Amino acid sequence: MTIDQQRLRQDLAKESFEAPKLSFAFYGRVSTEDNQDPESSRHWQLCLAQTLITPRGGMIVEEFFDVGHSRALPWQRRPDASRLLAALRNPRRGFTAVVIGEPHRAFYGNQFGLTLPLFTHYGVQLWVPEVGGPIDPDNEAHDLVMSVFGGMSKGERNRVKVRVRTAMASQTQLEGRYLGGRPPYGYMLKDLGPHPNPAKAADGKRLRGLTPDPQTAPVVQRIFAMYLAGYGMFAIAEALTRDDILCPSAYDRARNPHRDGLAWSKTAVRTILINPRYTGRQVWNKQRTDEVLLDVDDVALGHTPVMRWNQRDRWVTSNDIVHEPLIEQADFDRVQEMLGVRARTATAPKRAHRSRHPYIFKSLVHCGICGRKMQAQHSHGVAYYRCRFPQEYALTNKVDHPRNVIMREDVLIRPLDTWLVQGFGPLQRRHTIAGLLEQANVDTPTVTPVAPQGPTIAECDAKLARYRAALDAGADPAVVAGWIAETQAERQRAEQHQHTPAEDRPGNIPPRLNEEQIIAIVEQLGDLVNALRDAEPEHKVEVYRSLGLHLSYDPKTQTVRASVDLAAHRWDSVRVRGGT
């Protein structure tokens, strides 16, 4: 035997007695709430994991590390953690165990109890440095230790939140520091020098504050002056739009790409009037972030943040004036008092109001341009109907609408009554019946039972159960969330279909009317129209509504289009569709 053959035999014998190396996947997590550099935290957690597995012949072959995602998110909603759960389902995943860097960063609350069964199901060990090796699913001590880490993680996150909020409240109240966010309309940001925190200053961060914007600060002062002079928010918005002054969303398009910015609105004016920052004081905590359940039927999906407004007594205001004020404190207080008086007046209980003037076409006249109902009013003893369309809304909706569209009531009464009496009178009833019969035969299709479209409630519930099981198995949360939303919408439609009477369901067309039925309807309407001759004005409106009367006034041609909808009035013996 040669020397080379001896070496080859020795190498083969050596390899046959070496234990096979364990292949590991590493998982770690870090976010801003941990107050650590992501790369340093990743390196530290990776070193802890290698210290545990290297002496036992372990080797990390794949890494999963979530950056910037809160520990409160369940694993299914973290990008890399969800990829790891999806890899568990793959028989060719390339690793036989998973090692955790720091359990109190990986698991939060009861997440360990919801995640370990997946590892056990797919036969993948979970190694934790604090346990000294793999987790034993049947070991109560291991469960207790991991539950403690979950509780520690939750407590640490709550302590961080309390410390941060307390520090921000103190910085606002005592120092008047600008804590970020977009500057209010009328102000712009200015540089105040290096950040007072040495670590942040070393990173190049600067301290910023508010200073008046030379273009928009006079607009804010004009808004307060006009309101104190007695102008309402609506009049102020119209005046600013008329003077071609850019509204806040148009002035700062970079921060408002989702708004059209065409004109000033009452909401923008009110937001400026109630902002105490214009008095030179800093304000914080106007909004808060609440965590609400993502799915009340599946608590394991965790929570989602929702921004909500705080009451004024929870706002934090600086003790001193920290930037140049645009409004005096006394004027601001007067504006708040005026707003409070109007708010109390608007919400006070009111008695039922009866108009001194009976309007015959009340709620029946519509503007032919915008389609809105025209408002009834009296002027010098004459009844009018007016459509007041503000210029700012006309610009926003791109509608060429006059400021006021006015129609007199008395010029319409006689022509309308004449048209109705002629159409349903004894001499014209035969022609009306023939026209309605022809329309019913042409427009009304053959009746066929309409089957419910889409899945049933039971099918939707089965789908939702499968989707939640898919989430537990590690499916992509974003994709499954879309499926759940779509299925919940289908379930709601199925419930509406189930509780809607058959004759009122969409697609269920009433049966075609025969000649006898149409004659009976016209006879009844004829008797109703005859009552118009001797009816009092306050009674005429009830007759018009019973006829389903609809009036559309065109100011350009000064004409009114009148129509009677037979379906608007329902008789006990027959159900009518169409007919105008």
PDB file of all heavy atoms in Angstrom, residues 238 366-374 386-406 553-556:
ATOM      1  N   GLU A 238     -64.258  82.570   1.564  1.00  0.00           N
ATOM      2  CA  GLU A 238     -64.593  83.116   0.254  1.00  0.00           C
ATOM      3  C   GLU A 238     -63.735  84.329  -0.085  1.00  0.00           C
ATOM      4  O   GLU A 238     -63.294  84.496  -1.227  1.00  0.00           O
ATOM      5  CB  GLU A 238     -66.070  83.500   0.219  1.00  0.00           C
ATOM      6  CG  GLU A 238     -67.007  82.328  -0.015  1.00  0.00           C
ATOM      7  CD  GLU A 238     -68.415  82.812  -0.342  1.00  0.00           C
ATOM      8  OE1 GLU A 238     -68.908  83.689   0.383  1.00  0.00           O
ATOM      9  OE2 GLU A 238     -68.992  82.317  -1.315  1.00  0.00           O
ATOM     10  N   HIS A 366     -85.267  71.280  -7.504  1.00  0.00           N
ATOM     11  CA  HIS A 366     -83.833  71.012  -7.555  1.00  0.00           C
ATOM     12  C   HIS A 366     -83.166  71.944  -8.560  1.00  0.00           C
ATOM     13  O   HIS A 366     -83.776  72.318  -9.567  1.00  0.00           O
ATOM     14  CB  HIS A 366     -83.553  69.558  -7.945  1.00  0.00           C
ATOM     15  CG  HIS A 366     -84.042  68.563  -6.943  1.00  0.00           C
ATOM     16  ND1 HIS A 366     -85.388  68.267  -6.791  1.00  0.00           N
ATOM     17  CD2 HIS A 366     -83.377  67.800  -6.030  1.00  0.00           C
ATOM     18  CE1 HIS A 366     -85.530  67.355  -5.838  1.00  0.00           C
ATOM     19  NE2 HIS A 366     -84.327  67.061  -5.356  1.00  0.00           N
ATOM     20  N   CYS A 367     -81.924  72.296  -8.263  1.00  0.00           N
ATOM     21  CA  CYS A 367     -81.150  73.130  -9.181  1.00  0.00           C
ATOM     22  C   CYS A 367     -80.738  72.303 -10.384  1.00  0.00           C
ATOM     23  O   CYS A 367     -80.184  71.195 -10.232  1.00  0.00           O
ATOM     24  CB  CYS A 367     -79.928  73.710  -8.474  1.00  0.00           C
ATOM     25  SG  CYS A 367     -78.861  74.697  -9.546  1.00  0.00           S
ATOM     26  N   GLY A 368     -80.967  72.829 -11.576  1.00  0.00           N
ATOM     27  CA  GLY A 368     -80.618  72.091 -12.786  1.00  0.00           C
ATOM     28  C   GLY A 368     -79.133  72.050 -13.066  1.00  0.00           C
ATOM     29  O   GLY A 368     -78.694  71.290 -13.941  1.00  0.00           O
ATOM     30  N   ILE A 369     -78.319  72.833 -12.334  1.00  0.00           N
ATOM     31  CA  ILE A 369     -76.864  72.860 -12.571  1.00  0.00           C
ATOM     32  C   ILE A 369     -76.141  71.886 -11.649  1.00  0.00           C
ATOM     33  O   ILE A 369     -75.371  71.037 -12.103  1.00  0.00           O
ATOM     34  CB  ILE A 369     -76.317  74.287 -12.373  1.00  0.00           C
ATOM     35  CG1 ILE A 369     -76.995  75.243 -13.360  1.00  0.00           C
ATOM     36  CG2 ILE A 369     -74.808  74.310 -12.557  1.00  0.00           C
ATOM     37  CD1 ILE A 369     -76.565  76.685 -13.188  1.00  0.00           C
ATOM     38  N   CYS A 370     -76.404  72.026 -10.342  1.00  0.00           N
ATOM     39  CA  CYS A 370     -75.680  71.179  -9.382  1.00  0.00           C
ATOM     40  C   CYS A 370     -76.517  70.014  -8.866  1.00  0.00           C
ATOM     41  O   CYS A 370     -75.974  69.099  -8.246  1.00  0.00           O
ATOM     42  CB  CYS A 370     -75.196  72.015  -8.197  1.00  0.00           C
ATOM     43  SG  CYS A 370     -76.526  72.755  -7.210  1.00  0.00           S
ATOM     44  N   GLY A 371     -77.842  70.024  -9.087  1.00  0.00           N
ATOM     45  CA  GLY A 371     -78.688  68.924  -8.650  1.00  0.00           C
ATOM     46  C   GLY A 371     -79.121  68.986  -7.203  1.00  0.00           C
ATOM     47  O   GLY A 371     -79.866  68.110  -6.752  1.00  0.00           O
ATOM     48  N   ARG A 372     -78.682  69.994  -6.442  1.00  0.00           N
ATOM     49  CA  ARG A 372     -79.070  70.081  -5.039  1.00  0.00           C
ATOM     50  C   ARG A 372     -80.477  70.647  -4.905  1.00  0.00           C
ATOM     51  O   ARG A 372     -80.979  71.344  -5.800  1.00  0.00           O
ATOM     52  CB  ARG A 372     -78.090  70.968  -4.270  1.00  0.00           C
ATOM     53  CG  ARG A 372     -76.652  70.476  -4.286  1.00  0.00           C
ATOM     54  CD  ARG A 372     -75.791  71.320  -3.376  1.00  0.00           C
ATOM     55  NE  ARG A 372     -75.924  72.736  -3.676  1.00  0.00           N
ATOM     56  CZ  ARG A 372     -75.501  73.715  -2.875  1.00  0.00           C
ATOM     57  NH1 ARG A 372     -74.947  73.410  -1.722  1.00  0.00           N
ATOM     58  NH2 ARG A 372     -75.627  74.981  -3.219  1.00  0.00           N
ATOM     59  N   LYS A 373     -81.094  70.374  -3.753  1.00  0.00           N
ATOM     60  CA  LYS A 373     -82.408  70.950  -3.482  1.00  0.00           C
ATOM     61  C   LYS A 373     -82.275  72.449  -3.263  1.00  0.00           C
ATOM     62  O   LYS A 373     -81.342  72.907  -2.593  1.00  0.00           O
ATOM     63  CB  LYS A 373     -83.039  70.298  -2.248  1.00  0.00           C
ATOM     64  CG  LYS A 373     -83.463  68.857  -2.459  1.00  0.00           C
ATOM     65  CD  LYS A 373     -84.139  68.305  -1.214  1.00  0.00           C
ATOM     66  CE  LYS A 373     -84.585  66.868  -1.429  1.00  0.00           C
ATOM     67  NZ  LYS A 373     -85.250  66.306  -0.224  1.00  0.00           N
ATOM     68  N   MET A 374     -83.228  73.213  -3.817  1.00  0.00           N
ATOM     69  CA  MET A 374     -83.219  74.658  -3.659  1.00  0.00           C
ATOM     70  C   MET A 374     -83.935  75.035  -2.367  1.00  0.00           C
ATOM     71  O   MET A 374     -84.944  74.426  -1.995  1.00  0.00           O
ATOM     72  CB  MET A 374     -83.883  75.319  -4.873  1.00  0.00           C
ATOM     73  CG  MET A 374     -83.164  75.005  -6.192  1.00  0.00           C
ATOM     74  SD  MET A 374     -83.914  75.754  -7.655  1.00  0.00           S
ATOM     75  CE  MET A 374     -83.579  77.488  -7.359  1.00  0.00           C
ATOM     76  N   ARG A 386     -84.124  79.263  -3.780  1.00  0.00           N
ATOM     77  CA  ARG A 386     -82.776  79.741  -4.086  1.00  0.00           C
ATOM     78  C   ARG A 386     -81.761  78.621  -3.901  1.00  0.00           C
ATOM     79  O   ARG A 386     -81.847  77.826  -2.960  1.00  0.00           O
ATOM     80  CB  ARG A 386     -82.401  80.908  -3.162  1.00  0.00           C
ATOM     81  CG  ARG A 386     -81.044  81.520  -3.470  1.00  0.00           C
ATOM     82  CD  ARG A 386     -80.703  82.620  -2.493  1.00  0.00           C
ATOM     83  NE  ARG A 386     -80.415  82.098  -1.161  1.00  0.00           N
ATOM     84  CZ  ARG A 386     -79.855  82.807  -0.191  1.00  0.00           C
ATOM     85  NH1 ARG A 386     -79.550  84.070  -0.395  1.00  0.00           N
ATOM     86  NH2 ARG A 386     -79.623  82.266   0.990  1.00  0.00           N
ATOM     87  N   CYS A 387     -80.802  78.590  -4.810  1.00  0.00           N
ATOM     88  CA  CYS A 387     -79.642  77.699  -4.682  1.00  0.00           C
ATOM     89  C   CYS A 387     -78.415  78.578  -4.558  1.00  0.00           C
ATOM     90  O   CYS A 387     -78.010  79.230  -5.528  1.00  0.00           O
ATOM     91  CB  CYS A 387     -79.521  76.759  -5.890  1.00  0.00           C
ATOM     92  SG  CYS A 387     -78.070  75.675  -5.810  1.00  0.00           S
ATOM     93  N   ARG A 388     -77.835  78.598  -3.370  1.00  0.00           N
ATOM     94  CA  ARG A 388     -76.646  79.414  -3.094  1.00  0.00           C
ATOM     95  C   ARG A 388     -75.427  78.518  -3.152  1.00  0.00           C
ATOM     96  O   ARG A 388     -75.240  77.651  -2.304  1.00  0.00           O
ATOM     97  CB  ARG A 388     -76.760  80.085  -1.727  1.00  0.00           C
ATOM     98  CG  ARG A 388     -75.634  81.048  -1.406  1.00  0.00           C
ATOM     99  CD  ARG A 388     -75.945  81.794  -0.104  1.00  0.00           C
ATOM    100  NE  ARG A 388     -74.921  82.775   0.213  1.00  0.00           N
ATOM    101  CZ  ARG A 388     -73.860  82.530   0.982  1.00  0.00           C
ATOM    102  NH1 ARG A 388     -73.718  81.321   1.512  1.00  0.00           N
ATOM    103  NH2 ARG A 388     -72.966  83.455   1.235  1.00  0.00           N
ATOM    104  N   PHE A 389     -74.605  78.725  -4.162  1.00  0.00           N
ATOM    105  CA  PHE A 389     -73.446  77.867  -4.375  1.00  0.00           C
ATOM    106  C   PHE A 389     -72.189  78.710  -4.211  1.00  0.00           C
ATOM    107  O   PHE A 389     -71.856  79.527  -5.068  1.00  0.00           O
ATOM    108  CB  PHE A 389     -73.483  77.260  -5.783  1.00  0.00           C
ATOM    109  CG  PHE A 389     -72.714  75.979  -5.919  1.00  0.00           C
ATOM    110  CD1 PHE A 389     -73.303  74.765  -5.602  1.00  0.00           C
ATOM    111  CD2 PHE A 389     -71.397  75.965  -6.343  1.00  0.00           C
ATOM    112  CE1 PHE A 389     -72.605  73.582  -5.726  1.00  0.00           C
ATOM    113  CE2 PHE A 389     -70.691  74.787  -6.466  1.00  0.00           C
ATOM    114  CZ  PHE A 389     -71.306  73.594  -6.159  1.00  0.00           C
ATOM    115  N   PRO A 390     -71.461  78.567  -3.095  1.00  0.00           N
ATOM    116  CA  PRO A 390     -70.291  79.413  -2.852  1.00  0.00           C
ATOM    117  C   PRO A 390     -69.241  79.258  -3.947  1.00  0.00           C
ATOM    118  O   PRO A 390     -69.085  78.203  -4.557  1.00  0.00           O
ATOM    119  CB  PRO A 390     -69.763  78.905  -1.506  1.00  0.00           C
ATOM    120  CG  PRO A 390     -70.932  78.210  -0.889  1.00  0.00           C
ATOM    121  CD  PRO A 390     -71.716  77.638  -2.004  1.00  0.00           C
ATOM    122  N   GLN A 391     -68.500  80.321  -4.159  1.00  0.00           N
ATOM    123  CA  GLN A 391     -67.499  80.315  -5.220  1.00  0.00           C
ATOM    124  C   GLN A 391     -66.414  79.286  -4.956  1.00  0.00           C
ATOM    125  O   GLN A 391     -65.930  78.631  -5.874  1.00  0.00           O
ATOM    126  CB  GLN A 391     -66.885  81.706  -5.354  1.00  0.00           C
ATOM    127  CG  GLN A 391     -65.855  81.828  -6.480  1.00  0.00           C
ATOM    128  CD  GLN A 391     -65.270  83.211  -6.570  1.00  0.00           C
ATOM    129  OE1 GLN A 391     -65.590  84.075  -5.758  1.00  0.00           O
ATOM    130  NE2 GLN A 391     -64.426  83.433  -7.545  1.00  0.00           N
ATOM    131  N   GLU A 392     -66.027  79.123  -3.666  1.00  0.00           N
ATOM    132  CA  GLU A 392     -64.941  78.183  -3.378  1.00  0.00           C
ATOM    133  C   GLU A 392     -65.345  76.747  -3.705  1.00  0.00           C
ATOM    134  O   GLU A 392     -64.554  75.968  -4.221  1.00  0.00           O
ATOM    135  CB  GLU A 392     -64.535  78.268  -1.912  1.00  0.00           C
ATOM    136  CG  GLU A 392     -65.675  78.009  -0.945  1.00  0.00           C
ATOM    137  CD  GLU A 392     -65.161  77.628   0.427  1.00  0.00           C
ATOM    138  OE1 GLU A 392     -64.360  76.687   0.501  1.00  0.00           O
ATOM    139  OE2 GLU A 392     -65.564  78.258   1.403  1.00  0.00           O
ATOM    140  N   TYR A 393     -66.622  76.391  -3.459  1.00  0.00           N
ATOM    141  CA  TYR A 393     -67.066  75.046  -3.779  1.00  0.00           C
ATOM    142  C   TYR A 393     -67.236  74.872  -5.279  1.00  0.00           C
ATOM    143  O   TYR A 393     -67.042  73.780  -5.807  1.00  0.00           O
ATOM    144  CB  TYR A 393     -68.375  74.746  -3.057  1.00  0.00           C
ATOM    145  CG  TYR A 393     -68.244  74.781  -1.557  1.00  0.00           C
ATOM    146  CD1 TYR A 393     -69.246  75.304  -0.759  1.00  0.00           C
ATOM    147  CD2 TYR A 393     -67.096  74.314  -0.941  1.00  0.00           C
ATOM    148  CE1 TYR A 393     -69.119  75.355   0.614  1.00  0.00           C
ATOM    149  CE2 TYR A 393     -66.955  74.359   0.426  1.00  0.00           C
ATOM    150  CZ  TYR A 393     -67.966  74.873   1.211  1.00  0.00           C
ATOM    151  OH  TYR A 393     -67.820  74.912   2.567  1.00  0.00           O
ATOM    152  N   ALA A 394     -67.620  75.962  -5.974  1.00  0.00           N
ATOM    153  CA  ALA A 394     -67.715  75.880  -7.432  1.00  0.00           C
ATOM    154  C   ALA A 394     -66.345  75.631  -8.043  1.00  0.00           C
ATOM    155  O   ALA A 394     -66.192  74.839  -8.978  1.00  0.00           O
ATOM    156  CB  ALA A 394     -68.322  77.166  -7.989  1.00  0.00           C
ATOM    157  N   LEU A 395     -65.313  76.270  -7.502  1.00  0.00           N
ATOM    158  CA  LEU A 395     -63.961  76.036  -8.006  1.00  0.00           C
ATOM    159  C   LEU A 395     -63.499  74.623  -7.704  1.00  0.00           C
ATOM    160  O   LEU A 395     -62.903  73.945  -8.536  1.00  0.00           O
ATOM    161  CB  LEU A 395     -62.999  77.046  -7.376  1.00  0.00           C
ATOM    162  CG  LEU A 395     -63.158  78.515  -7.816  1.00  0.00           C
ATOM    163  CD1 LEU A 395     -62.244  79.400  -6.991  1.00  0.00           C
ATOM    164  CD2 LEU A 395     -62.851  78.650  -9.296  1.00  0.00           C
ATOM    165  N   THR A 396     -63.765  74.169  -6.469  1.00  0.00           N
ATOM    166  CA  THR A 396     -63.317  72.835  -6.073  1.00  0.00           C
ATOM    167  C   THR A 396     -63.960  71.751  -6.909  1.00  0.00           C
ATOM    168  O   THR A 396     -63.315  70.788  -7.313  1.00  0.00           O
ATOM    169  CB  THR A 396     -63.625  72.613  -4.581  1.00  0.00           C
ATOM    170  OG1 THR A 396     -62.993  73.639  -3.821  1.00  0.00           O
ATOM    171  CG2 THR A 396     -63.124  71.265  -4.125  1.00  0.00           C
ATOM    172  N   ASN A 397     -65.258  71.880  -7.170  1.00  0.00           N
ATOM    173  CA  ASN A 397     -65.979  70.866  -7.929  1.00  0.00           C
ATOM    174  C   ASN A 397     -65.993  71.133  -9.428  1.00  0.00           C
ATOM    175  O   ASN A 397     -66.629  70.397 -10.172  1.00  0.00           O
ATOM    176  CB  ASN A 397     -67.427  70.772  -7.418  1.00  0.00           C
ATOM    177  CG  ASN A 397     -67.506  70.243  -6.010  1.00  0.00           C
ATOM    178  OD1 ASN A 397     -67.456  69.047  -5.778  1.00  0.00           O
ATOM    179  ND2 ASN A 397     -67.620  71.150  -5.039  1.00  0.00           N
ATOM    180  N   LYS A 398     -65.283  72.213  -9.853  1.00  0.00           N
ATOM    181  CA  LYS A 398     -65.179  72.547 -11.272  1.00  0.00           C
ATOM    182  C   LYS A 398     -66.568  72.682 -11.910  1.00  0.00           C
ATOM    183  O   LYS A 398     -66.859  72.089 -12.948  1.00  0.00           O
ATOM    184  CB  LYS A 398     -64.340  71.500 -12.016  1.00  0.00           C
ATOM    185  CG  LYS A 398     -62.918  71.368 -11.473  1.00  0.00           C
ATOM    186  CD  LYS A 398     -62.118  70.328 -12.214  1.00  0.00           C
ATOM    187  CE  LYS A 398     -60.716  70.213 -11.635  1.00  0.00           C
ATOM    188  NZ  LYS A 398     -59.905  69.182 -12.341  1.00  0.00           N
ATOM    189  N   VAL A 399     -67.429  73.444 -11.228  1.00  0.00           N
ATOM    190  CA  VAL A 399     -68.793  73.664 -11.690  1.00  0.00           C
ATOM    191  C   VAL A 399     -68.960  75.142 -12.016  1.00  0.00           C
ATOM    192  O   VAL A 399     -68.614  75.999 -11.197  1.00  0.00           O
ATOM    193  CB  VAL A 399     -69.821  73.240 -10.622  1.00  0.00           C
ATOM    194  CG1 VAL A 399     -71.232  73.543 -11.091  1.00  0.00           C
ATOM    195  CG2 VAL A 399     -69.675  71.753 -10.323  1.00  0.00           C
ATOM    196  N   ASP A 400     -69.454  75.441 -13.210  1.00  0.00           N
ATOM    197  CA  ASP A 400     -69.752  76.808 -13.601  1.00  0.00           C
ATOM    198  C   ASP A 400     -71.125  77.159 -13.051  1.00  0.00           C
ATOM    199  O   ASP A 400     -72.147  76.983 -13.720  1.00  0.00           O
ATOM    200  CB  ASP A 400     -69.696  76.948 -15.126  1.00  0.00           C
ATOM    201  CG  ASP A 400     -69.888  78.395 -15.572  1.00  0.00           C
ATOM    202  OD1 ASP A 400     -69.802  79.292 -14.712  1.00  0.00           O
ATOM    203  OD2 ASP A 400     -70.127  78.627 -16.780  1.00  0.00           O
ATOM    204  N   HIS A 401     -71.146  77.662 -11.841  1.00  0.00           N
ATOM    205  CA  HIS A 401     -72.396  77.878 -11.119  1.00  0.00           C
ATOM    206  C   HIS A 401     -72.478  79.331 -10.672  1.00  0.00           C
ATOM    207  O   HIS A 401     -71.541  79.855 -10.057  1.00  0.00           O
ATOM    208  CB  HIS A 401     -72.455  76.963  -9.893  1.00  0.00           C
ATOM    209  CG  HIS A 401     -73.819  76.788  -9.312  1.00  0.00           C
ATOM    210  ND1 HIS A 401     -74.509  77.822  -8.718  1.00  0.00           N
ATOM    211  CD2 HIS A 401     -74.631  75.696  -9.227  1.00  0.00           C
ATOM    212  CE1 HIS A 401     -75.674  77.382  -8.292  1.00  0.00           C
ATOM    213  NE2 HIS A 401     -75.772  76.097  -8.585  1.00  0.00           N
ATOM    214  N   PRO A 402     -73.590  80.015 -10.937  1.00  0.00           N
ATOM    215  CA  PRO A 402     -73.740  81.375 -10.413  1.00  0.00           C
ATOM    216  C   PRO A 402     -73.761  81.366  -8.888  1.00  0.00           C
ATOM    217  O   PRO A 402     -74.047  80.355  -8.255  1.00  0.00           O
ATOM    218  CB  PRO A 402     -75.095  81.822 -10.986  1.00  0.00           C
ATOM    219  CG  PRO A 402     -75.376  80.887 -12.126  1.00  0.00           C
ATOM    220  CD  PRO A 402     -74.727  79.598 -11.765  1.00  0.00           C
ATOM    221  N   ARG A 403     -73.480  82.526  -8.305  1.00  0.00           N
ATOM    222  CA  ARG A 403     -73.502  82.591  -6.853  1.00  0.00           C
ATOM    223  C   ARG A 403     -74.889  82.273  -6.307  1.00  0.00           C
ATOM    224  O   ARG A 403     -75.035  81.618  -5.276  1.00  0.00           O
ATOM    225  CB  ARG A 403     -73.067  83.977  -6.387  1.00  0.00           C
ATOM    226  CG  ARG A 403     -73.050  84.133  -4.877  1.00  0.00           C
ATOM    227  CD  ARG A 403     -72.578  85.512  -4.491  1.00  0.00           C
ATOM    228  NE  ARG A 403     -71.169  85.653  -4.808  1.00  0.00           N
ATOM    229  CZ  ARG A 403     -70.172  85.312  -3.980  1.00  0.00           C
ATOM    230  NH1 ARG A 403     -70.464  84.786  -2.802  1.00  0.00           N
ATOM    231  NH2 ARG A 403     -68.922  85.481  -4.331  1.00  0.00           N
ATOM    232  N   ASN A 404     -75.947  82.730  -6.995  1.00  0.00           N
ATOM    233  CA  ASN A 404     -77.314  82.469  -6.568  1.00  0.00           C
ATOM    234  C   ASN A 404     -78.167  82.127  -7.783  1.00  0.00           C
ATOM    235  O   ASN A 404     -78.077  82.802  -8.822  1.00  0.00           O
ATOM    236  CB  ASN A 404     -77.923  83.685  -5.855  1.00  0.00           C
ATOM    237  CG  ASN A 404     -77.345  83.901  -4.472  1.00  0.00           C
ATOM    238  OD1 ASN A 404     -77.670  83.182  -3.544  1.00  0.00           O
ATOM    239  ND2 ASN A 404     -76.461  84.894  -4.345  1.00  0.00           N
ATOM    240  N   VAL A 405     -78.971  81.078  -7.657  1.00  0.00           N
ATOM    241  CA  VAL A 405     -79.979  80.711  -8.644  1.00  0.00           C
ATOM    242  C   VAL A 405     -81.337  80.854  -7.962  1.00  0.00           C
ATOM    243  O   VAL A 405     -81.583  80.214  -6.936  1.00  0.00           O
ATOM    244  CB  VAL A 405     -79.768  79.271  -9.162  1.00  0.00           C
ATOM    245  CG1 VAL A 405     -80.920  78.863 -10.071  1.00  0.00           C
ATOM    246  CG2 VAL A 405     -78.442  79.160  -9.894  1.00  0.00           C
ATOM    247  N   ILE A 406     -82.221  81.713  -8.509  1.00  0.00           N
ATOM    248  CA  ILE A 406     -83.479  82.054  -7.854  1.00  0.00           C
ATOM    249  C   ILE A 406     -84.644  81.778  -8.791  1.00  0.00           C
ATOM    250  O   ILE A 406     -84.586  82.093  -9.989  1.00  0.00           O
ATOM    251  CB  ILE A 406     -83.492  83.536  -7.415  1.00  0.00           C
ATOM    252  CG1 ILE A 406     -82.340  83.801  -6.435  1.00  0.00           C
ATOM    253  CG2 ILE A 406     -84.821  83.907  -6.780  1.00  0.00           C
ATOM    254  CD1 ILE A 406     -82.215  85.241  -6.015  1.00  0.00           C
ATOM    255  N   TYR A 553     -85.034  73.084 -12.103  1.00  0.00           N
ATOM    256  CA  TYR A 553     -85.057  74.427 -12.677  1.00  0.00           C
ATOM    257  C   TYR A 553     -83.732  74.712 -13.374  1.00  0.00           C
ATOM    258  O   TYR A 553     -82.650  74.584 -12.793  1.00  0.00           O
ATOM    259  CB  TYR A 553     -85.297  75.466 -11.582  1.00  0.00           C
ATOM    260  CG  TYR A 553     -85.222  76.886 -12.078  1.00  0.00           C
ATOM    261  CD1 TYR A 553     -86.156  77.375 -12.999  1.00  0.00           C
ATOM    262  CD2 TYR A 553     -84.228  77.752 -11.630  1.00  0.00           C
ATOM    263  CE1 TYR A 553     -86.092  78.674 -13.458  1.00  0.00           C
ATOM    264  CE2 TYR A 553     -84.158  79.057 -12.079  1.00  0.00           C
ATOM    265  CZ  TYR A 553     -85.087  79.512 -12.998  1.00  0.00           C
ATOM    266  OH  TYR A 553     -85.023  80.810 -13.454  1.00  0.00           O
ATOM    267  N   ASP A 554     -83.831  75.118 -14.664  1.00  0.00           N
ATOM    268  CA  ASP A 554     -82.667  75.483 -15.459  1.00  0.00           C
ATOM    269  C   ASP A 554     -82.609  77.007 -15.543  1.00  0.00           C
ATOM    270  O   ASP A 554     -83.446  77.626 -16.207  1.00  0.00           O
ATOM    271  CB  ASP A 554     -82.771  74.885 -16.861  1.00  0.00           C
ATOM    272  CG  ASP A 554     -81.506  75.107 -17.680  1.00  0.00           C
ATOM    273  OD1 ASP A 554     -80.622  75.844 -17.201  1.00  0.00           O
ATOM    274  OD2 ASP A 554     -81.397  74.562 -18.790  1.00  0.00           O
ATOM    275  N   PRO A 555     -81.633  77.641 -14.871  1.00  0.00           N
ATOM    276  CA  PRO A 555     -81.613  79.111 -14.877  1.00  0.00           C
ATOM    277  C   PRO A 555     -81.246  79.711 -16.227  1.00  0.00           C
ATOM    278  O   PRO A 555     -81.580  80.872 -16.491  1.00  0.00           O
ATOM    279  CB  PRO A 555     -80.557  79.438 -13.808  1.00  0.00           C
ATOM    280  CG  PRO A 555     -79.669  78.245 -13.764  1.00  0.00           C
ATOM    281  CD  PRO A 555     -80.539  77.068 -14.059  1.00  0.00           C
ATOM    282  N   LYS A 556     -80.561  78.965 -17.075  1.00  0.00           N
ATOM    283  CA  LYS A 556     -80.165  79.518 -18.370  1.00  0.00           C
ATOM    284  C   LYS A 556     -81.377  79.711 -19.274  1.00  0.00           C
ATOM    285  O   LYS A 556     -81.541  80.757 -19.910  1.00  0.00           O
ATOM    286  CB  LYS A 556     -79.136  78.610 -19.028  1.00  0.00           C
ATOM    287  CG  LYS A 556     -77.812  78.539 -18.265  1.00  0.00           C
ATOM    288  CD  LYS A 556     -76.807  77.653 -18.991  1.00  0.00           C
ATOM    289  CE  LYS A 556     -75.486  77.593 -18.239  1.00  0.00           C
ATOM    290  NZ  LYS A 556     -74.496  76.721 -18.927  1.00  0.00           N
TER     291      LYS A 556
END
